[in-house]
Amino acid sequence: MAAKWVEALTGSLEQKKQYKQAMARIKALPGPYADAATALHRYFLYAGGLVDGDTIVTMIGDHADLWERAALDGTPVRAVVGDDPVEFAEAFVRAYSGKEWIDKERARLRSAIDAVPDSAAPGSPAPDNPAPSSGTGVD
Amino acid sequence: MGNQMTEMLKGTLEGIVLAILAVRPAYGYEITARLREQGFSDLVEGTVYALLVRIEQRGFVDVTKVPSEKGPPRKVYSLNSRGREQLDEFGRTWAFLSARIDKLYQDIDNRQDAGE
């Protein structure tokens, strides 16, 4: 009961533990892998827009798996991140983006457009044959 | 990799990887290696890894952890029924696109034949 009360204030303690474990695994990697993983981690949290604790914990656990494997196999850092590390980071984060803060705005945009009357009502010009401009524009 | 190849792969690599997994289950590195053998020589491991994460999150594959001789267990991905449906849809979409593009090239050829 006490744990529940505390977690309501601080978030899940179990999640925090898993998060810390994943961070410790990243720190324990050989130099170049630890550096690359730390840089990516910063970017994930900065640009990812993830709010759901479970998702973050799963993501950084998978991220630690990826670099541990690369370090053991001796895969060069470049062979993991490719020419553009940003592209890699964004593809990685996007895979987990089930519950993003932007979802709320996406839903709002969809319903806003749904609520707009359809401009292609009967009688109005077809989209590929637009009406000529009224001639009041600047020449 | 050429820029056009990179752009086109963005839309098709998922289907390609699902097709590879339809043959037999595999882990990340095997998939990258198989793709490289088949001519995708500049494909980086991270691209495939990010894609595997995505298809796992979308429920197209089942994942089992298989112990490896050294280090943490390897994640082996196998196609499940949802993945098979997705692969079928990819196949249909690809057949449509490829037929359309062939037709456009035929039109170009016919026009050249008629003009010369």
Side-chain angles (χ1 to χ4, degrees), chain A residues 12-124:
Chain A
S12 157
L13 295 176
E14 181 57 30
Q15 274 174 5
K16 282 204 171 63
K17 203 174 85 189
Q18 287 173 348
Y19 185 90
K20 279 190 176 161
Q21 279 170 352
M23 292 311 287
R25 287 167 64 198
I26 282 176
K27 264 199 185 142
L29 290 163
Y33 298 100
D35 291 349
T38 306
L40 280 162
H41 183 80
R42 181 195 151 88
Y43 190 87
F44 292 160
L45 298 189
Y46 190 79
L50 299 163
V51 284
D52 170 53
D54 280 338
T55 308
I56 293 175
V57 164
T58 308
M59 180 180 84
I60 66 157
D62 286 353
H63 186 234
D65 284 350
L66 162 68
W67 287 104
E68 279 177 352
R69 199 65 251 172
L72 276 166
D73 294 340
T75 310
V77 167
R78 269 288 162 194
V80 175
V81 300
D83 290 341
D84 186 358
V86 172
E87 208 164 289
F88 168 73
E90 289 182 0
F92 193 86
V93 171
R94 220 177 298 127
Y96 296 93
S97 61
K99 290 183 190 168
E100 284 179 342
W101 61 271
I102 192 92
D103 282 353
K104 205 169 66 185
E105 287 305 315
R106 286 178 177 140
R108 184 189 288 245
L109 174 59
R110 287 197 183 100
S111 54
I113 297 297
D114 285 346
V116 170
D118 199 340
S119 53
S124 56

Side-chain angles (χ1 to χ4, degrees), chain A residues 124-135:
Chain A
S124 56
D128 43 356
N129 187 17
S133 69
S134 58

Side-chain angles (χ1 to χ4, degrees), chain B residues 36-108:
Chain B
R36 288 213 186 110
E37 278 165 26
Q38 287 166 21
F40 298 103
S41 49
D42 296 332
L43 194 69
V44 299
E45 214 173 318
T47 305
V48 173
Y49 191 87
L51 193 143
L52 288 170
V53 162
R54 194 172 81 220
I55 62 178
E56 182 185 348
Q57 295 292 315
R58 292 177 67 195
F60 299 150
V61 286
D62 295 329
V63 180
T64 45
K65 291 198 169 181
V66 175
S68 65
E69 56 303 342
K70 52 173 188 170
R74 287 184 190 275
K75 281 168 113 176
V76 174
Y77 299 83
S78 54
L79 203 64
N80 61 24
S81 57
R82 272 181 79 178
R84 223 164 279 277
E85 277 168 31
Q86 180 76 2
L87 177 60
D88 287 347
E89 199 184 321
F90 174 75
R92 285 192 296 274
T93 310
W94 180 255
F96 172 81
L97 265 181
S98 136
R100 293 296 95 196
I101 293 169
D102 284 350
K103 173 78 170 60
L104 286 169
Y105 273 92
Q106 271 170 27
D107 291 348
I108 295 171

